[in-house]
Amino acid sequence: GGDNVDTLNELSLCLIELDDYESAHTNLMEAMKKEPENTKVMSNLGMLYLREGNYTESANYFNAVLAFDKDDKIALASLAQIESLQ
């Protein structure tokens, strides 16, 4: 239970694995409202959009992560993956 950012973020990861993208999105957006500069949440939004095939939104979130940490390995690898898919 609980509605702190870490709980919302972890719940969203479970929901993504269950292909419940709508609920995952809801939880991640709630987490973003609470901590708009949380790069883990941004990265998970990027992963969610990547899973959905929305490469533009996915890239937007991964680029936002890189604005905070230019060496983030997950964001860099995900952007490279998106580039190869387009």
Side-chain angles (χ1 to χ4, degrees):
D3 66 349
N4 67 54
V5 171
D6 288 333
T7 301
L8 292 167
N9 189 49
E10 291 300 319
L11 176 58
S12 72
L13 294 175
C14 296
L15 292 165
I16 290 169
E17 290 304 313
L18 294 171
D19 296 329
D20 186 351
Y21 300 144
E22 185 176 335
S23 296
H25 185 268
T26 299
N27 283 288
L28 287 168
M29 294 311 288
E30 183 64 30
M32 284 296 293
K33 286 182 197 171
K34 293 174 182 277
E35 288 184 25
E37 295 182 359
N38 187 314
T39 57
K40 286 190 289 187
V41 175
M42 287 178 209
S43 186
N44 287 333
L45 276 162
M47 287 296 184
L48 172 61
Y49 284 118
L50 183 59
R51 269 279 195 62
E52 292 179 318
N54 187 337
Y55 303 133
T56 301
E57 279 301 309
S58 181
N60 287 342
Y61 278 102
F62 288 124
N63 282 315
V65 170
L66 293 175
F68 289 95
D69 179 5
K70 64 181 173 67
D71 297 319
D72 186 283
K73 291 179 183 0
I74 292 172
L76 291 168
S78 298
L79 285 170
Q81 180 183 1
I82 291 166
E83 187 69 30
S84 73
L85 295 169
Q86 294 181 329

